[in-house]
């Protein structure tokens, strides 16, 4: 709490003001760990090393997209959770493609609508392989003829 005073010959004006600095705080870039990979899910965990406390909690924004499918598959998750130590675990489920690279972008901000997001952390990982659901599509007794060649 600070005091500001203005003096004049006829009166004295005294006003108290305070600054709420938590609105201007940006969380540090989050180190993300990827574990427990399956063909259609993965576990993400992150923790801040500085152990800074956020009284209002943090809001996380997680963006997931498979590599080379940016136009079609983009999934966003907004998590609002009180996390005094900036520590959280999240399981990404329903990933569409097995043994495929995915890009995850994670940002955080103090839990208020006017606060800014921190610098995004970008992590790339591959889901695990799995046995196909069906055999590949082929033509029954089909072959390819290379022009004038009689190779079968």
């Amino acid at each position: 709490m600070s005091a500001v005073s203005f003096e004049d010959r006829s009166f004295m004006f005294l006003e108290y003001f305070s600054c709420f600095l938590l609105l201007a705080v940006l969380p540090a870039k989050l180190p993300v760990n990827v574990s427990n990979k399956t063909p259609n899910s993965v576990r993400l965990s992150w923790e801040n090393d500085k152990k800074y406390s956020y009284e209002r909690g943090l809001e996380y924004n997680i963006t997931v997209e498979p590599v080379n499918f940016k136009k079609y598959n983009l999934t966003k998750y907004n998590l609002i959770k009180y996390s005094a130590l900036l520590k959280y675990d999240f399981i990404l489920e329903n990933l569409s493609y097995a043994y495929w690279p995915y890009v995850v972008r994670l940002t955080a901000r103090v839990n208020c609508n006017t606060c800014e997001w921190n610098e995004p952390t970008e992590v790339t990982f591959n889901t695990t392989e799995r046995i196909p659901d069906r055999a590949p599509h082929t033509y029954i007794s089909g072959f390819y003829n290379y022009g004038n060649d009689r190779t079968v």
Side-chain angles (χ1 to χ4, degrees), residues 42-122:
V42 70
R43 179 177 172 240
L44 301 175
S45 60
W46 56 89
E47 181 178 1
N48 191 0
D49 295 333
K50 296 180 181 177
K51 305 294 185 201
Y52 187 80
S53 177
Y54 296 95
E55 293 177 5
R56 303 183 89 190
L58 293 173
E59 180 179 357
Y60 302 104
N61 186 5
I62 302 171
T63 305
V64 183
E65 57 188 347
V67 175
N68 297 331
F69 284 98
K70 292 180 186 177
K71 188 175 181 181
Y72 302 105
N73 293 356
L74 181 66
T75 306
K76 288 191 175 186
Y77 299 92
N78 267 341
L79 303 174
I80 299 173
K81 179 175 176 155
Y82 177 76
S83 178
L85 299 178
L86 196 74
K87 182 177 181 180
Y88 197 72
D89 290 330
F90 184 72
I91 297 176
L92 287 174
E93 295 178 328
N94 301 325
L95 299 175
S96 303
Y97 310 108
Y99 201 64
W100 197 263
Y102 284 86
V103 177
V104 174
R105 288 180 192 85
L106 175 67
T107 57
R109 72 176 178 184
V110 175
N111 190 10
C112 72
N113 292 333
T114 59
C115 296
E116 293 185 25
W117 294 97
N118 70 346
E119 184 179 343
T121 300
E122 191 170 296

Side-chain angles (χ1 to χ4, degrees), residues 143-152:
F143 63 91
Y144 185 79
N145 187 354
Y146 294 99
N148 292 333
D149 259 350
R150 300 290 179 210
T151 307
V152 178

Side-chain angles (χ1 to χ4, degrees), residues 11 108 136:
F11 69 94

Side-chain angles (χ1 to χ4, degrees), residues 5-17:
S5 64
F6 301 98
E7 288 191 31
D8 194 355
R9 293 181 184 185
S10 60
F11 69 94
M12 181 176 173
F13 178 71
L14 186 64
E15 180 182 352
Y16 289 95
F17 68 95

